[in-house]
Amino acid sequence: MRETVTSTHCPYCALQCGMNLTPAADGRSVEVSERADFPVNRGALCGKGRTAPAVLSSAVRLTSPLVRSAAGTLEPASWEEALDRIAQGIGGARAEHGADAVGVFGGGGLTNEKAYALGKFARVVLGTSQIDYNGRFCMSSAAAAGGRAFGLDRGLPFPLKDIPRTGCVILVGSNPAETMPPALRYFTELKENGGTLIVVDPRRTRTAEQADLHLAPRPGTDLALALGLLHLVVAEGLTDEEYIRERTAGWEDTRAAAMAHWPEYVERITGVPVPQLRKAVRLFCEPEHAMVLTARGPEQQAKGTDTVSAWINLALATGRPGRPLSGYGCLTGQGNGQGGREHGQKADQLPGYRKLTDPAARAHVAQVWGVDPDSLPGPGRSAYELLDALGTDIRALLLMGSNPVVSAPRAAHVEERIRSLDFLAVCDVVLSETAELADVVLPVTQWAEETGTTTSLEGRVLLRRRAISPPAGVRSDLEVLHELAARLGGEGSPEKRFPADPEEVFEELRRASAGGPADYSGITYRRLAEENGVFWPCPSPAEPADPSEPAEAAGAAGAAGAAGAAVHPGTPRLFLDRFATEDGRARFVPVSHRAVAEEPDEEYPVLLTTGRVVAQYQSGAQTRRVDELNAAAPGPFVELHPRLAQRLGAAEGDPVAVVSRRGRAVAPARITTAIRPDTVFMPFHWAGEGRANTLTNPALDPTSRMPEFKACAVRLEAVRP
């Protein structure tokens, strides 16, 4: 007899689409069906979501701990042996070289409970400052820019359902038709309702084909493009002077910076013709409501924070943020990219999106954790800097839910650094390329086998529910941390502070986040189940937000307190009354164009940009194990313009070598007029000789520490038989 249908959410992107799961007859897998009641995807699922149960199969996933033998091979082992080996490896490095010789690397796919527990484990049990996560490679530039403009970072400060009701959307460096297909309907409905869509992308993607206007700038010039648009807004008298005067600060310096970027100058930099610039400004400024949405295109640059700031400045100058059906937002990529950085696995943050350097934040979290605030280490290295330090300053690494051998920039170098470690432990669902290098690999539960929360790109906290039991031999990441805390924590029964029950962890997370910018204290598992998610900030009336913190949550908590013990409804739309800054005003940030970190030259005359395809996800560790997805996207390719292909003497499908200063990748040619003649594109989902991130530049944004994935200089070589 089949069990009851379980309503839950997809394990992949930040849409966190709703789905129903029914256990299969054998009880070891699930069948996916539509869940029309969830408002984000309204039953629609992409191929990745529909085929997600394939990775639950014991034929493709890990079901036993693996320990490296004396002969150098990974062999099955008991959990006790594997956990003891990890404790010895990490404990030995810490004893010999100090706490910061141990690193922790997390993932944007971990649930909020896991991210919270991992950050706490690093700081309380290991005492290390060296913790970061792969979400640093996702939307850290947008987070930094949003924080300095609005005082608060939440991917979208409004629900997705507002998009079809606005008048114009500028979509910068995003291809939702392939990266999050169920979201494309919002832009289709926008056009059906009479609105306009402007897409900014060097490639004519499936999304760009839907646009009323496609702007195709040279990779790495999005900053100049935004400045050129702002220049025209000022020159044509289209600024909202009343809004600027009443709701913002810093306009004059920003205006002066924009006026130095006149249209003809911007055309020379970007390749976007002046008439298209003028048309974009007209389309954006004519309607009463409009939005700017950014994604990885402008963000994954060594100037990504300033680039996003330039697009925010355009939105502010036209009076969009903090008004209904208008504003600026970021389309988060990873499944829990938003929640993953809110609760402590990022190098500089504590739970509730608190700053690790803030004494009041340290005191609050330390009290919840039952430790001395002075015992908490300070900020550590960012993701790439942490990976670059492996084998030298960092001698042992605990890694959860990430595959940097494929996903990190300058990947061959990162692989070399990982190989140089004294000890590596990996917790994963499958034997990824990074797990293959580990001393110990622990098999952990997946989305359908565990309960936990995630936070979507809307800032909507969601409950994923367990539908089936995991295979024998598989444990959850929370159980792993519980067991390691018992082995590494010393006196005081530290394992008791690391419960394995996710709801118990979430209850502690609620207390730790109370009063912080990302306040979850008014959210419970029961509410999440009953309300289809709750938008943060959502303070508890019993635990109001700290009024000294200039966060949207503070105002929300006050409203709840005025209503007595009423349950706070959550905050779907931020900034309608004030921004989360000390004076309630948004901040313009003056920025100026600067070149990409590595411009083309005679030796490397072409620009490479990277991205995703519809049938694969991130490093492909899971999706490359699904037959249906591999049939749709079997391997890497090099997308190039016919003129470039002709000069190279390459035909469709011919192997082409792409060479940068960091290495060489080879993949079949895909020839198309959908890309600029000075640019090539490679998807980054594959390992081996087609690994795109062998080529990419680890040059870092000075603020967000985001690597420059989106632009590096390369040359092309024909590969002869």
Side-chain angles (χ1 to χ4, degrees), residues 648-650 654-655 718-721:
L648 187 64
D654 285 353
V719 178
R720 306 303 179 193

PDB file of all heavy atoms in Angstrom, residues 648-650 654-655 718-721:
ATOM      1  N   LEU A 648      39.189  30.192 -37.899  1.00  0.00           N
ATOM      2  CA  LEU A 648      39.824  29.048 -37.256  1.00  0.00           C
ATOM      3  C   LEU A 648      39.839  27.827 -38.172  1.00  0.00           C
ATOM      4  O   LEU A 648      40.646  26.905 -37.981  1.00  0.00           O
ATOM      5  CB  LEU A 648      39.076  28.728 -35.955  1.00  0.00           C
ATOM      6  CG  LEU A 648      39.652  27.675 -35.019  1.00  0.00           C
ATOM      7  CD1 LEU A 648      41.002  28.119 -34.475  1.00  0.00           C
ATOM      8  CD2 LEU A 648      38.686  27.388 -33.882  1.00  0.00           C
ATOM      9  N   GLY A 649      38.955  27.823 -39.158  1.00  0.00           N
ATOM     10  CA  GLY A 649      38.815  26.654 -40.013  1.00  0.00           C
ATOM     11  C   GLY A 649      38.067  25.525 -39.346  1.00  0.00           C
ATOM     12  O   GLY A 649      38.307  24.347 -39.630  1.00  0.00           O
ATOM     13  N   ALA A 650      37.121  25.874 -38.459  1.00  0.00           N
ATOM     14  CA  ALA A 650      36.366  24.871 -37.711  1.00  0.00           C
ATOM     15  C   ALA A 650      34.954  24.768 -38.242  1.00  0.00           C
ATOM     16  O   ALA A 650      34.312  25.779 -38.561  1.00  0.00           O
ATOM     17  CB  ALA A 650      36.336  25.231 -36.228  1.00  0.00           C
ATOM     18  N   ASP A 654      33.366  20.127 -34.781  1.00  0.00           N
ATOM     19  CA  ASP A 654      34.810  19.900 -34.733  1.00  0.00           C
ATOM     20  C   ASP A 654      35.352  20.202 -33.338  1.00  0.00           C
ATOM     21  O   ASP A 654      34.907  21.161 -32.688  1.00  0.00           O
ATOM     22  CB  ASP A 654      35.543  20.794 -35.737  1.00  0.00           C
ATOM     23  CG  ASP A 654      35.390  20.332 -37.167  1.00  0.00           C
ATOM     24  OD1 ASP A 654      34.832  19.236 -37.374  1.00  0.00           O
ATOM     25  OD2 ASP A 654      35.824  21.068 -38.074  1.00  0.00           O
ATOM     26  N   PRO A 655      36.325  19.433 -32.864  1.00  0.00           N
ATOM     27  CA  PRO A 655      36.929  19.768 -31.569  1.00  0.00           C
ATOM     28  C   PRO A 655      37.720  21.070 -31.662  1.00  0.00           C
ATOM     29  O   PRO A 655      38.465  21.292 -32.622  1.00  0.00           O
ATOM     30  CB  PRO A 655      37.841  18.576 -31.277  1.00  0.00           C
ATOM     31  CG  PRO A 655      38.113  17.969 -32.605  1.00  0.00           C
ATOM     32  CD  PRO A 655      36.903  18.209 -33.449  1.00  0.00           C
ATOM     33  N   ALA A 718      42.472  25.030 -33.497  1.00  0.00           N
ATOM     34  CA  ALA A 718      41.845  23.863 -34.101  1.00  0.00           C
ATOM     35  C   ALA A 718      42.561  22.609 -33.623  1.00  0.00           C
ATOM     36  O   ALA A 718      43.781  22.598 -33.464  1.00  0.00           O
ATOM     37  CB  ALA A 718      41.907  23.957 -35.619  1.00  0.00           C
ATOM     38  N   VAL A 719      41.794  21.577 -33.351  1.00  0.00           N
ATOM     39  CA  VAL A 719      42.367  20.313 -32.904  1.00  0.00           C
ATOM     40  C   VAL A 719      42.326  19.342 -34.075  1.00  0.00           C
ATOM     41  O   VAL A 719      41.257  18.911 -34.522  1.00  0.00           O
ATOM     42  CB  VAL A 719      41.586  19.737 -31.697  1.00  0.00           C
ATOM     43  CG1 VAL A 719      42.169  18.394 -31.281  1.00  0.00           C
ATOM     44  CG2 VAL A 719      41.620  20.720 -30.538  1.00  0.00           C
ATOM     45  N   ARG A 720      43.478  19.020 -34.619  1.00  0.00           N
ATOM     46  CA  ARG A 720      43.551  18.146 -35.791  1.00  0.00           C
ATOM     47  C   ARG A 720      43.683  16.690 -35.366  1.00  0.00           C
ATOM     48  O   ARG A 720      44.341  16.377 -34.369  1.00  0.00           O
ATOM     49  CB  ARG A 720      44.752  18.526 -36.658  1.00  0.00           C
ATOM     50  CG  ARG A 720      44.794  20.005 -37.060  1.00  0.00           C
ATOM     51  CD  ARG A 720      43.538  20.440 -37.804  1.00  0.00           C
ATOM     52  NE  ARG A 720      43.578  21.856 -38.160  1.00  0.00           N
ATOM     53  CZ  ARG A 720      42.532  22.542 -38.584  1.00  0.00           C
ATOM     54  NH1 ARG A 720      41.349  21.940 -38.684  1.00  0.00           N
ATOM     55  NH2 ARG A 720      42.662  23.814 -38.893  1.00  0.00           N
ATOM     56  N   PRO A 721      43.079  15.768 -36.132  1.00  0.00           N
ATOM     57  CA  PRO A 721      43.199  14.339 -35.821  1.00  0.00           C
ATOM     58  C   PRO A 721      44.651  13.888 -35.831  1.00  0.00           C
ATOM     59  O   PRO A 721      45.461  14.386 -36.601  1.00  0.00           O
ATOM     60  CB  PRO A 721      42.400  13.658 -36.929  1.00  0.00           C
ATOM     61  CG  PRO A 721      41.540  14.719 -37.525  1.00  0.00           C
ATOM     62  CD  PRO A 721      42.243  16.021 -37.311  1.00  0.00           C
TER      63      PRO A 721
END
